[in-house]
Amino acid sequence: MSNIIQLLPDHVANQIAAGEVVQRPASVIKELLENSIDAKASRIQVVIKDAGKTLIQIVDDGQGMGLTDARMCFERHATSKIKLADDLFSLKTKGFRGEALASIAAIAHVELKTKTEEDEVGTCIKIEGSEVVSQDPCVTPKGTSICVKNLFYNIPARRNFLKSDNVETRHIIDEFQRVALAHPDISFSLIHNGSELFQLPPTNFRQRITNILGGKTNEKLVPVEEDTEIVKISGFVGKPEFAKKSRGEQFFFVNNRFIKSPYLNHAVVASFDGLLKEKSYPTYFLYLEVDPKSIDINIHPTKTEIKFDDEHALYAILKSAIKHSLGQFNVAPVLDFERDSELDTPYEFKNKDASAPQVEVDRNFNPFQNEYPKQSYSGGTTQSFRREKPAQWESLYSGMQQETETDVDIKQIEFESEEVTGNLFGSKEEGPEKSTFQLQKKFIVSTLKSGILVIDQHRAHTRILYEELLKNITVSAAVSQQLLFPLRLQFNNHEIEMLKDLKESLEQTGFIFAEIARGEVEITGIPTMISESEVQILLEQLLADFEKDVPDNGFSQTDLLAKSLANSMAVRSGTLLNTVEQQHIVNKLFACKEPGLSPFNKTVFTTVSVDELDKKFA
Ligand code: ADP
Ligand code: MG
């Protein structure tokens, strides 16, 4: 058989390498920014069009390249940064693989203009799909300017794989921020489709963080400092009360390089032990300096994962440093933000007035008597029932023991409960009464003619709100509650852009925006279904959802908006509901178009028929 193995042509090898290095426009930005920093630039400008799909241009005032280097830099494994394998262990630069420019030039139209301090004229090189198209002397200031156009023009599969402009812009902003946060002494700017997203002057770490994340960030930061033989830690953690609903603001930098480390993240979260609400994520900006010898950056082509020699020690040092800071700045002991969710009124009932319950005393009640007098149930007197409700009532169903002890007649209780609620709220608008009770503060259980119905309260309420919101956005706008004092909320530039996109739909749900300006939003009205204190969290969640998955067309945008808001607004599992609230949910649910599924396609309720029950007792 003839020999069949061949060396791949360079442009093919480059395209393959590009698959690893360049996943999306943001990867190009990252590589080019790193090159500019390695070239000791003090000012770096980034201009993009259409989320980088059409154009990415990076201009720096760094050391530039001479004629030969300008040509060489596009060769694979061409680098000025390391010479020997040993150099890998004393890296001071961001790049070292010599792959980025070769990879980018393999999959885009690239134009490089560069000049060194010493040279009179600069060099301009055009490359398309690894082919040099032209090379000419040119007039250009000291430094380097690289234009990357039509990314993935020759790999349609990759181009089609790119997400919407919003998502790709988010990725670009993420990379940009990571680099800018690691180098506060360098000035950066980012311009997208002609509008300026960031303009960052040279400054210190704290100010850079504030410039990027918005004006109020400064007051939320607690400094962290620690100097040991293995590691020098500096930076900030966010005060626990400002923890985010999404993982947005978590940054580790090791020797000024942004890295991802679930292990170290765990150390940070552990040091916040007990200070964070469930499902919230601490903000942190932590700068670690370690001996380059003690880490291996070479384990991932995009260089965001690194291996530490002594991870365990690092974990312990980091955790204790943060704990110390939180304690020292008195963050830890004074906080009590555990809100008792049982004290919250569910949205639907906020504006109903409840008539004052009559206080009735059970004169037969003896706290030392374990067994409650039988006749108070079977006799149907309201007094004894009230005393039992709701805790005792609930436990009647969850604990079999009590049931046998007290020998309850269930029918009697159903009847009683309706009487009591009707009385308390003076409303019977819920239609034909069905008896309901709540199980584990999670399910609403109701009887049917043919069996029992078990409803997941959160999913059911989500479905109800979702259909209402959809109707509001598409058909008839909801009413809003005017705020006495306008609410001012801070958002970063990208979030502001997204809010502008969503403004119209949000207004249909009842929000009134007085102003959406740089860094701040002023809200003068909100939907009746929510309270003022919830607005910030709600909008943050909404933006986080939109960042994850931004639909381009109108309907799916409306749909996502309704889903996200409904999910944030719906009663959670763990919330105690009274009978009126339970029945309200049951009735509203079955008036929905699709009561069986939550907007996220999860089962909302299930039934158990008498037949099935009969079988269990066979
Ligand atoms: P690496 O950064 O791993 O060395 P790259 O492909 O990113 O590989 O760049 C190749 C070389 O091109 C770099 O080593 C550097 O010498 C040169 N270079 C790239 N970008 C710039 C820039 N903005 N200014 C000066 N030199 C640059
Ligand atoms: Mg590089």
Side-chain angles (χ1 to χ4, degrees):
M1 193 175 154
S2 61
N3 295 332
I4 51 172
I5 299 179
Q6 304 173 9
L7 271 179
L8 285 174
D10 266 358
H11 69 275
V12 180
N14 284 340
Q15 259 198 30
I16 294 170
E20 283 206 316
V21 182
V22 185
Q23 276 118 23
R24 48 174 23 116
S27 336
V28 175
I29 306 254
K30 170 178 189 278
E31 293 294 336
L32 298 183
L33 284 174
E34 292 189 347
N35 280 347
S36 296
I37 290 166
D38 286 344
K40 303 192 172 54
S42 62
R43 214 183 110 125
I44 304 173
Q45 293 166 285
V46 183
V47 176
I48 54 175
K49 280 209 184 108
D50 307 323
K53 293 171 184 170
T54 315
L55 170 77
I56 296 168
Q57 182 176 22
I58 299 206
V59 183
D60 71 48
D61 63 354
Q63 65 201 20
M65 286 177 269
L67 182 66
T68 319
D69 280 357
R71 185 68 181 254
M72 267 295 279
C73 71
F74 292 107
E75 296 295 322
R76 203 143 61 97
H77 305 308
T79 179
S80 56
K81 297 168 194 175
I82 56 172
K83 293 200 172 71
L84 308 167
D86 270 356
D87 294 346
L88 273 176
F89 301 101
S90 54
L91 275 178
K92 291 262 175 342
T93 55
K94 307 241 166 231
F96 55 87
R97 299 170 72 107
E99 275 177 337
L101 290 182
S103 301
I104 294 166
I107 50 167
H109 297 155
V110 177
E111 184 183 307
L112 166 79
K113 283 186 183 168
T114 186
K115 189 180 95 70
T116 61
E117 182 89 76
E118 309 83 62
D119 288 339
E120 287 282 303
V121 288
T123 310
C124 174
I125 293 183
K126 289 186 187 158
I127 290 201
E128 294 179 359
S130 299
E131 297 269 340
V132 178
V133 182
S134 69
Q135 172 168 354
D136 302 295
C138 71
V139 177
T140 181
K142 177 207 155 205
T144 304
S145 151
I146 298 191
C147 265
V148 178
K149 292 184 189 157
N150 311 321
L151 189 66
F152 298 131
Y153 79 99
N154 51 357
I155 319 182
R158 296 297 293 272
R159 203 173 163 87
N160 294 337
F161 174 78
L162 291 178
K163 295 273 165 54
S164 69
D165 281 7
N166 256 318
V167 173
E168 295 300 339
T169 308
R170 181 67 245 176
H171 283 291
I172 289 174
I173 290 174
D174 282 347
E175 293 293 355
F176 177 88
Q177 288 184 343
R178 290 166 181 174
V179 175
L181 283 169
H183 296 276
D185 52 326
I186 300 175
S187 130
F188 290 92
S189 65
L190 174 61
I191 293 172
H192 182 211
N193 289 342
S195 76
E196 185 182 87
L197 295 183
F198 293 94
Q199 180 64 262
L200 307 169
T203 176
N204 58 21
F205 281 122
R206 187 167 192 139
Q207 199 53 47
R208 175 58 55 93
I209 294 170
T210 308
N211 287 345
I212 289 182
L213 295 165
K216 292 262 166 76
T217 313
N218 194 23
E219 23 187 294
K220 303 177 188 170
L221 301 178
V222 178
V224 180
E225 298 285 343
E226 184 69 82
D227 200 349
T228 69
E229 271 183 16
I230 323 183
V231 60
K232 184 168 181 285
I233 301 171
S234 58
F236 305 89
V237 291
K239 292 180 186 162
E241 65 264 41
F242 298 111
K244 290 266 177 181
K245 286 277 159 194
S246 66
R247 289 174 191 275
E249 298 174 355
Q250 303 189 326
F251 299 88
F252 279 120
F253 302 92
V254 173
N255 297 352
N256 287 335
R257 181 194 299 277
F258 170 83
I259 59 136
K260 291 181 185 153
S261 168
Y263 185 68
L264 293 184
N265 174 64
H266 192 275
V268 181
V269 175
S271 63
F272 273 83
D273 183 32
L275 292 172
L276 294 170
K277 274 192 269 186
E278 211 188 316
K279 291 229 176 91
S280 65
Y281 302 91
T283 295
Y284 57 83
F285 309 87
L286 293 164
Y287 300 85
L288 279 57
E289 270 173 64
V290 296
D291 184 343
K293 279 200 209 64
S294 73
I295 51 173
D296 180 1
I297 312 167
N298 206 12
I299 56 172
H300 196 271
T302 58
K303 301 166 288 189
T304 47
E305 280 159 47
I306 66 176
K307 228 168 74 199
F308 297 98
D309 278 356
D310 198 350
E311 242 184 1
H312 297 303
L314 216 54
Y315 184 101
I317 297 169
L318 189 61
K319 184 172 159 189
S320 84
I322 297 172
K323 263 195 166 241
H324 179 74
S325 292
L326 289 174
Q328 201 180 16
F329 286 83
N330 269 336
V331 178
V334 290
L335 283 173
D336 176 25
F337 41 73
E338 279 305 334
R339 203 171 54 164
D340 186 354
S341 63
E342 294 189 10
L343 298 178
D344 289 353
T345 319
Y347 307 103
E348 309 259 302
F349 295 91
K350 240 166 216 161
N351 301 324
K352 273 193 191 159
D353 8 26
S355 45
Q358 300 151 272
V359 180
E360 285 175 80
V361 183
D362 178 10
R363 295 185 199 285
N364 294 328
F365 177 65
N366 175 353
F368 301 104
Q369 193 180 321
N370 257 340
E371 215 173 278
Y372 297 113
K374 235 182 201 176
Q375 77 274 19
S376 60
Y377 288 100
S378 46
T381 53
T382 25
Q383 295 105 294
S384 59
F385 185 67
R386 282 231 179 123
R387 172 168 51 75
E388 248 72 83
K389 199 179 162 250
Q392 179 68 10
W393 193 48
E394 217 182 327
S395 64
L396 282 175
Y397 291 85
S398 48
M400 297 303 281
Q401 193 193 358
Q402 243 139 0
E403 212 167 311
T404 45
E405 258 177 41
T406 48
D407 192 30
V408 183
D409 180 345
I410 299 218
K411 270 202 200 105
Q412 195 64 39
I413 283 185
E414 286 171 9
F415 173 70
E416 290 276 286
S417 83
E418 283 158 25
E419 279 256 300
V420 173
T421 43
N423 206 351
L424 264 175
F425 284 83
S427 87
K428 286 228 170 197
E429 69 192 63
E430 263 66 40
E433 298 282 349
K434 285 187 208 82
S435 60
T436 58
F437 67 91
Q438 206 184 5
L439 186 66
Q440 303 273 328
K441 295 189 204 157
K442 186 170 183 217
F443 298 107
I444 300 171
V445 182
S446 175
T447 51
L448 297 170
K449 252 193 206 141
S450 56
I452 51 174
L453 172 69
V454 183
I455 299 171
D456 180 308
Q457 66 187 44
H458 174 70
R459 290 182 189 174
H461 200 204
T462 311
R463 160 57 61 185
I464 297 165
L465 292 170
Y466 168 73
E467 292 200 5
E468 258 170 43
L469 286 161
L470 265 191
K471 198 172 95 207
N472 289 335
I473 302 172
T474 52
V475 187
S476 57
V479 278
S480 13
Q481 44 173 326
Q482 294 280 334
L483 298 175
L484 206 51
F485 302 103
L487 206 56
R488 292 177 170 279
L489 304 176
Q490 321 279 322
F491 292 99
N492 69 34
N493 294 347
H494 181 62
E495 291 169 334
I496 292 283
E497 294 298 314
M498 293 193 343
L499 279 173
K500 281 185 185 160
D501 280 352
L502 296 172
K503 178 171 179 263
E504 213 175 301
S505 304
L506 281 169
E507 287 187 332
Q508 293 281 100
T509 70
F511 282 97
I512 303 172
F513 294 97
E515 203 185 355
I516 301 186
R518 225 193 151 84
E520 202 174 65
V521 171
E522 189 180 317
I523 298 172
T524 53
I526 57 177
T528 48
M529 293 177 277
I530 61 173
S531 76
E532 210 174 317
S533 61
E534 283 148 349
V535 175
Q536 172 103 38
I537 294 176
L538 206 85
L539 290 179
E540 261 176 29
Q541 186 61 53
L542 179 75
L543 293 171
D545 288 344
F546 266 79
E547 276 177 2
K548 261 188 279 159
D549 164 30
V550 187
D552 276 336
N553 74 52
F555 174 73
S556 32
Q557 175 165 329
T558 307
D559 188 59
L560 179 59
L561 182 86
K563 271 186 197 160
S564 170
L565 290 180
N567 188 38
S568 303
M569 283 154 66
V571 284
R572 305 268 138 204
S573 310
T575 310
L576 189 70
L577 301 175
N578 67 30
T579 321
V580 179
E581 293 162 350
Q582 295 166 24
Q583 293 186 349
H584 186 84
I585 288 184
V586 176
N587 292 328
K588 284 260 185 174
L589 177 67
F590 290 100
C592 281
K593 289 201 185 103
E594 217 178 313
L597 285 178
S598 80
F600 302 94
N601 279 330
K602 294 270 173 59
T603 307
V604 174
F605 64 84
T606 182
T607 57
V608 184
S609 69
V610 175
D611 284 353
E612 285 167 74
L613 288 172
D614 276 341
K615 275 188 205 132
K616 288 199 192 288
F617 289 99

